[in-house]
Amino acid sequence: MEGERNLEATIEQLLNVEKQMRLAGDVAGTKKAATDILQLCFEAKAWSTLNDQIVLLSKRRGQLKQAVTAMVQQAMQYIDETPDIETKIQLITMLNNVSAGKIYVEIERARLIKKLAKIKEEQGLIAEAADLMQEVAVETFGAMAKTEKIAFILEQVRLCLDRQDYVRAQILSRKISPRVFDADPTKEKKKPKEGDNIVEEAPADIPSLMELKRFYYELMIRYYSHHKDYLEICRCYKSIYDIPSVKESSAHWIPVLRKICWYLVLSPHDPMQSSLLNSILEDKNLSEIPNFRLLLKQLVTMEVIQWTALWNDYKDEFENEKNLLGGSLVEKAAEDLKQRIIEHNILVVSKYYSRITLKRLAELLCLNLQEAEKHLSEMVVSKALVAKIDRPMGIVSFQTSKDSNEILNSWALNLEKLLDLVEKSCHQIHKETMVRKAALEV
């Protein structure tokens, strides 16, 4: 009791000093008096008094911004020293309320909310933690370091994915441009001009830009896995593959390159998939995993792939890769792999045949008539292929129908070529005649 009375008396004296300094406009004196009060409370382990004094000082009339900033920053150092989790939450919540709406302590408030969200997550309150993090728009903080901003947004995205809020996760992820990870960190920072905002240094616990890049793409893989977008997952793994720390060791890049190959094979055929497929085939590192090189080579070769033979060769590899492909994709991935091979075979047939019977097409695809027609129809609907089926006759035509303008243009072009040939022939005949005539005269 004696200690409490002494503490109250000392605080009262310092409050009077703080008042005098504040009214006199003495910034340094006001900050010192305010922080001394906080230090006294901390040393006495009077956590309730500490909270009350910070609220009281921050609400005093005409309180200086510098004093509030100093108090918040000092009190944040005490968070890890709190005796229990309840006291810690009370201190963080109080500091959060004090800094709310004050631009000069917006960075401190963001860090406080991040700490509070982590505590909520540890308690199993994922939705509450995600809601807390979404309150803060760090992309508008000019003084916050770039890496700290990215790390904060990635935490927002991660919590949204954990609560399976995929729409909000996508919206938040768009706040980060992938180009930001391509910045050269070795370049010297420009000296800030007069009037520019001073950017703070990132805290020591914030990962480097390349570590954040990997974390970003791992989160995007989780998002695209939910939507079963194989090509986008493949592109994410390709970006991870290009990180220098991954390329340093074969133990790091071989598993990533294997995933790239699998997701390329699983991706529907389109120009982007074709471009990525050819670029991966040119990668020298692919020679380290020759069976995957052979798999990709089969996809770019215009030959029919026998599904049963391919599945027998790669079934064990596919089973080993199941854990890497991810939970929601495992069951459907085998079906999709067969679908991609069928689509490849249909494209090959369309290159070699202008017309083919449905029965022969089914034989080439190792399917029955109904399945062959189904897969062909799906490709036509998705505009991956142009074809027409004459069902009564059982004939598939891969020829594109031309309109009257195209037909007339082709005729005009053929006539132009014919006349050009006639003109050249006449010229050659005239030339030969003149040469022969000259030889006779001699």
Side-chain angles (χ1 to χ4, degrees):
M1 291 295 291
E2 185 67 31
E4 286 182 14
R5 281 199 293 269
N6 289 338
L7 178 63
E8 287 175 9
T10 312
I11 289 172
E12 195 63 39
Q13 289 174 4
L14 286 170
L15 284 171
N16 290 330
V17 173
E18 186 272 337
K19 182 179 180 181
Q20 291 171 9
M21 294 297 179
R22 176 164 42 84
L23 294 175
D26 187 341
V27 175
T30 308
K31 283 169 66 177
K32 187 177 185 310
T35 51
D36 284 349
I37 292 170
L38 269 57
Q39 188 64 27
L40 277 172
C41 296
F42 172 68
E43 289 171 358
K45 303 298 178 187
W47 298 104
S48 179
T49 309
L50 175 69
N51 291 351
D52 295 340
Q53 290 302 320
I54 293 172
V55 174
L56 175 70
L57 287 164
S58 66
K59 288 184 176 180
R60 282 196 146 184
R61 185 170 181 173
Q63 186 58 272
L64 303 173
K65 293 178 182 179
Q66 295 89 334
V68 175
T69 305
M71 283 192 297
V72 172
Q73 289 174 347
Q74 182 155 334
M76 284 176 71
Q77 297 172 13
Y78 303 153
I79 290 171
D80 294 331
E81 306 294 330
T82 48
D84 52 57
I85 196 72
E86 288 78 13
T87 309
K88 183 181 282 190
I89 291 173
Q90 285 173 5
L91 180 56
I92 295 173
T93 306
M94 180 275 300
L95 288 173
N96 186 18
N97 293 335
V98 166
S99 56
K102 297 181 176 69
I103 294 175
Y104 48 90
V105 283
E106 61 185 4
I107 294 177
E108 286 77 10
R109 184 167 184 264
R111 290 169 183 168
L112 285 165
I113 285 178
K114 194 174 180 182
K115 283 179 181 288
L116 187 57
K118 189 175 182 182
I119 293 168
K120 295 290 184 186
E121 186 182 3
E122 287 169 357
Q123 293 175 340
L125 305 169
I126 303 292
E128 199 171 323
D131 290 335
L132 273 171
M133 290 290 281
Q134 285 160 34
E135 290 177 10
V136 188
V138 289
E139 65 276 9
T140 63
F141 296 0
M144 185 180 272
K146 180 171 69 175
T147 51
E148 190 175 359
K149 279 185 190 178
I150 294 168
F152 194 95
I153 295 169
L154 290 178
E155 274 297 295
Q156 291 176 321
V157 174
R158 183 185 67 80
L159 285 167
C160 285
L161 289 173
D162 287 349
R163 72 184 292 194
Q164 298 184 340
D165 187 353
Y166 295 99
V167 174
R168 190 169 274 107
Q170 184 193 28
I171 293 166
L172 290 167
S173 69
R174 285 179 176 172
K175 292 181 180 180
I176 300 173
S177 170
R179 286 196 297 267
V180 77
F181 299 115
D182 299 328
D184 189 356
T186 58
K187 288 183 179 178
E188 292 184 8
K189 293 179 181 178
K190 293 180 181 178
K191 291 182 179 179
K193 296 177 183 177
E194 193 175 340
D196 284 358
N197 288 329
I198 297 169
V199 178
E200 290 189 9
E201 289 292 325
D205 62 337
I206 299 297
S208 66
L209 194 63
M210 287 299 103
E211 289 171 334
L212 290 170
K213 178 178 181 178
R214 179 156 194 160
F215 186 37
Y216 167 78
Y217 283 110
E218 284 171 353
L219 290 176
M220 295 315 296
I221 287 165
R222 283 181 61 188
Y223 170 75
Y224 289 121
S225 296
H226 172 71
H227 294 284
K228 297 180 177 57
D229 193 337
Y230 296 121
L231 185 57
E232 286 300 331
I233 297 170
C234 177
R235 291 178 68 194
C236 289
Y237 276 119
K238 180 70 169 64
S239 298
I240 293 173
Y241 177 70
D242 292 332
I243 296 173
S245 60
V246 174
K247 281 204 167 182
E248 283 174 2
S249 167
S250 60
H252 292 151
W253 61 255
I254 284 180
V256 179
L257 190 56
R258 285 166 64 94
K259 293 191 194 83
I260 291 170
C261 293
W262 274 123
Y263 282 110
L264 260 178
V265 175
L266 287 166
S267 302
H269 178 80
D270 67 9
M272 188 179 289
Q273 186 259 4
S274 181
S275 173
L276 195 55
L277 183 61
N278 285 296
S279 69
I280 294 298
L281 274 169
E282 291 172 5
D283 192 337
K284 293 178 182 177
N285 288 338
L286 200 60
S287 58
E288 296 290 325
I289 42 175
N291 52 341
F292 282 91
R293 182 180 179 81
L294 180 62
L295 177 64
L296 297 187
K297 198 74 178 172
Q298 289 182 69
L299 288 179
V300 295
T301 306
M302 283 290 108
E303 291 181 9
V304 171
I305 300 171
Q306 293 296 327
W307 163 247
T308 49
L310 182 132
W311 183 242
N312 289 335
D313 291 341
Y314 290 94
K315 185 178 180 180
D316 293 337
E317 287 281 4
F318 190 82
E319 293 294 326
N320 293 336
E321 207 79 19
K322 269 190 175 183
N323 295 330
L324 300 173
L325 287 173
S328 62
L329 297 177
V330 172
E331 297 174 5
K332 197 170 181 295
E335 297 173 18
D336 288 337
L337 181 61
K338 186 176 181 180
Q339 174 80 7
R340 296 293 94 82
I341 299 304
I342 291 169
E343 287 175 4
H344 167 82
N345 290 342
I346 291 173
L347 286 169
V348 171
V349 171
S350 71
K351 296 288 182 187
Y352 286 104
Y353 290 87
S354 57
R355 292 170 81 247
I356 187 172
T357 62
L358 199 55
K359 184 181 177 182
R360 177 61 180 149
L361 177 66
E363 288 175 7
L364 290 170
L365 299 177
C366 302
L367 300 170
N368 58 42
L369 286 172
Q370 287 77 15
E371 286 178 336
E373 187 177 335
K374 174 179 169 286
H375 288 296
L376 181 63
S377 302
E378 284 174 356
M379 288 189 73
V380 172
V381 170
S382 64
K383 297 185 179 178
L385 184 72
V386 176
K388 284 185 177 180
I389 304 173
D390 186 342
R391 297 187 76 184
M393 294 292 290
I395 294 174
V396 181
S397 174
F398 295 109
Q399 290 177 330
T400 56
S401 58
K402 295 180 180 179
D403 61 15
S404 56
N405 288 330
E406 287 180 350
I407 294 168
L408 287 170
N409 286 337
S410 65
W411 287 354
L413 187 64
N414 289 337
L415 281 171
E416 190 178 340
K417 285 180 180 177
L418 177 63
L419 292 171
D420 189 43
L421 284 170
V422 170
E423 188 178 350
K424 282 181 180 177
S425 300
C426 291
H427 177 71
Q428 290 294 334
I429 292 167
H430 184 64
K431 182 180 175 183
E432 287 294 327
T433 303
M434 295 298 289
V435 170
R436 183 74 175 167
K437 188 177 180 182
L440 288 171
E441 287 176 357
V442 171

